[in-house]
Amino acid sequence: MFADRIRILRSERNLTQAEVAREVELSPRGYQDLELGRKPKYDTLLRLADFFDVSVDWLMGRTQRREVWK
């Protein structure tokens, strides 16, 4: 679920894996591993949620609501 969702978000913004990796402070291989199914570390999860402006719960498949509650 997580891998699919970050792939969707990246595609919606027409970004490469390397571009997202750079923005969230990962190596290109580290980001690629996430899209291939590796589970993210907590700090990486937060950086991805912030970068894509979605909720952590949505990224992890716990809700269908993308919006961040602020």
Side-chain angles (χ1 to χ4, degrees), residues 37-69:
R38 184 173 56 97
K39 299 296 181 215
K41 292 182 180 178
Y42 179 73
D43 59 330
T44 301
L45 179 61
L46 294 179
R47 286 194 305 265
L48 284 164
D50 287 344
F51 176 71
F52 287 118
D53 197 29
V54 295
S55 73
V56 170
D57 282 343
W58 184 80
L59 277 178
M60 298 306 291
R62 295 182 50 162
T63 183
Q64 295 301 312
R65 294 182 61 124
R66 283 189 185 195
E67 301 85 20
V68 177
W69 292 85

Side-chain angles (χ1 to χ4, degrees), residues 7-24:
R7 193 175 306 113
I8 288 166
L9 291 167
R10 182 177 60 79
S11 176
E12 288 174 354
R13 292 190 181 189
N14 296 313
L15 297 169
T16 66
Q17 290 180 341
E19 289 169 330
V20 176
R22 185 172 37 255
E23 290 295 324
V24 298

